[in-house]
Amino acid sequence: ARQLSIIQIIYSVLLISPYYTNKSTTMSISPSSTRAINRIAIAQLRSTRNKHTNLINIAKTAGWAKRDGAKMLFLPECLGFIGDSAEHTVLNADPSIEVQMKNSCDDDGVLPMNTFREALAATIESCSLSPDELQHDDKGSCNDEYNGEGNIESIVAELRFIAKHSNLWISGGGVHTKATSTTTSPGDESSSSKIYNTHVIIDERGQITSFYHKIHLFDVSIPGKVNLKESNTTAPGHKLVVCDSPIGKLALTICYDMRFPEMYMELVQTGGAEVILVPSAFTVPTGLAHWHALLRARAIESQCYVIAAAQVGQHNEKRRSYGHSLAYNPWGTLLVDA
């Protein structure tokens, strides 16, 4: 089951989630730009420690996006893995993004098939079928739970495979990646043993075009509700990133960054950003209080579209996310909200 909302703006927004009953809303707004109308898909996920299931769910959203003509798919923070502890997350981190970006250039987007990638491909194809075609789909991969295993090269490598197979650009809103000696801060020995929270952009050829390491880390303690300290295991990034895409210049940020408005003004005024991305795994208490207010404020003050793909629901015994994948326009109008 999924929730589906379509809104016509400069590009249209398709909101998709494997965890809600079907619902469709359509409205039209006159474009304020001469840019061609492109459709985008914003996913809402409930990732867990099971990488295979997480990636299959992403393949489902890619199939739905492909079926409905989207050009780009936006995924939330922690899209491929949410561990049971900080240590668990570190142990399961991807190789460094710099190494993976080099591999992306070297292999020219050609990723060898294996058992798990065959399952990803079958899922994309099944979910990209129209309702009539789906009734005659012998494989039925779109509705089935994946119970197999198979080799996972890395979360980013499988995202590259999904992007190429579905012919979609993908915003991978948050993947934990290992640091290298060249990416850690000079003189900071502690950061060499930490990981990065990395937002990666992949084009429709399966090539990594850009990446951003999360700058503002989430350290918060609300007695009896939330106790998270991201900085224990994660090193902060140091560079602002704006990159090209089919829908314009994207400002890459992650979750807690949204509480620092000066960062967004710099991305817009210096970087020329037109669309702000804030993929997140927001906690429920802070989400109830601040999620909509902060994202709307970032849209209004920057005069940009804001796209925020979100995690939702119970990930494990200790962690639950607020959800509400959404998009705002520069006037601060809520265009779509899960």
Side-chain angles (χ1 to χ4, degrees), residues 134-192:
L134 195 56
Q135 291 181 358
H136 302 94
D137 178 26
D138 295 333
K139 296 180 181 178
S141 305
C142 193
N143 297 317
D144 291 347
E145 294 294 325
Y146 182 75
N147 298 314
E149 294 184 352
N151 180 58
I152 293 176
E153 181 181 335
S154 69
I155 291 170
V156 169
E158 307 317 322
L159 282 184
R160 291 179 55 213
F161 178 84
I162 291 170
K164 183 167 185 177
H165 199 82
S166 57
N167 197 37
L168 290 171
W169 280 63
I170 290 181
S171 159
V175 179
H176 290 105
T177 60
K178 295 177 181 177
T180 65
S181 58
T182 58
T183 58
T184 53
S185 301
D188 185 1
E189 295 182 2
S190 62
S191 65
S192 62

Side-chain angles (χ1 to χ4, degrees), residues 271-308:
E274 298 168 296
V275 182
I276 291 170
L277 307 186
V278 197
S280 300
F282 231 63
T283 66
V284 173
T286 54
L288 287 167
H290 299 148
W291 175 252
H292 291 86
L294 287 170
L295 292 170
R296 184 168 186 254
R298 298 297 83 85
I300 294 168
E301 69 198 8
S302 67
Q303 285 296 281
C304 287
Y305 285 90
V306 168
I307 298 170

Side-chain angles (χ1 to χ4, degrees), residues 102-308:
K102 181 180 183 302
N103 291 342
S104 149
C105 295
D106 292 345
D107 62 31
D108 197 29
V110 178
L111 296 164
M113 290 296 288
N114 57 34
T115 302
F116 183 59
R117 286 178 180 163
E118 288 174 358
L120 290 175
T123 300
I124 293 168
E125 289 306 309
S126 180
C127 291
S128 66
L129 299 176
S130 69
D132 288 340
E133 291 172 324
L134 195 56
Q135 291 181 358
H136 302 94
D137 178 26
D138 295 333
K139 296 180 181 178
S141 305
C142 193
N143 297 317
D144 291 347
E145 294 294 325
Y146 182 75
N147 298 314
E149 294 184 352
N151 180 58
I152 293 176
E153 181 181 335
S154 69
I155 291 170
V156 169
E158 307 317 322
L159 282 184
R160 291 179 55 213
F161 178 84
I162 291 170
K164 183 167 185 177
H165 199 82
S166 57
N167 197 37
L168 290 171
W169 280 63
I170 290 181
S171 159
V175 179
H176 290 105
T177 60
K178 295 177 181 177
T180 65
S181 58
T182 58
T183 58
T184 53
S185 301
D188 185 1
E189 295 182 2
S190 62
S191 65
S192 62
S193 61
K194 295 183 178 181
I195 56 178
Y196 284 115
N197 192 345
T198 304
H199 187 164
V200 59
I201 302 296
I202 302 168
D203 69 17
E204 82 285 1
R205 302 168 301 156
Q207 301 277 44
I208 299 171
T209 67
S210 192
F211 66 87
Y212 159 77
H213 293 315
K214 184 179 181 184
I215 292 174
H216 302 100
L217 303 181
F218 184 62
D219 290 357
V220 66
S221 179
I222 303 175
K225 294 183 178 180
V226 178
N227 185 24
L228 291 171
K229 193 167 185 182
E230 191 175 16
S231 63
N232 280 344
T233 55
T234 305
H238 301 282
K239 295 180 181 178
L240 300 181
V241 177
V242 175
C243 68
D244 289 325
S245 80
I247 64 167
K249 290 188 175 294
L250 306 177
L252 307 190
T253 73
I254 300 175
C255 201
Y256 193 57
D257 285 329
M258 76 173 70
R259 294 185 180 273
F260 300 85
E262 66 280 1
M263 174 181 181
Y264 293 90
M265 298 312 297
E266 183 74 12
L267 285 163
V268 172
Q269 293 176 358
T270 303
E274 298 168 296
V275 182
I276 291 170
L277 307 186
V278 197
S280 300
F282 231 63
T283 66
V284 173
T286 54
L288 287 167
H290 299 148
W291 175 252
H292 291 86
L294 287 170
L295 292 170
R296 184 168 186 254
R298 298 297 83 85
I300 294 168
E301 69 198 8
S302 67
Q303 285 296 281
C304 287
Y305 285 90
V306 168
I307 298 170

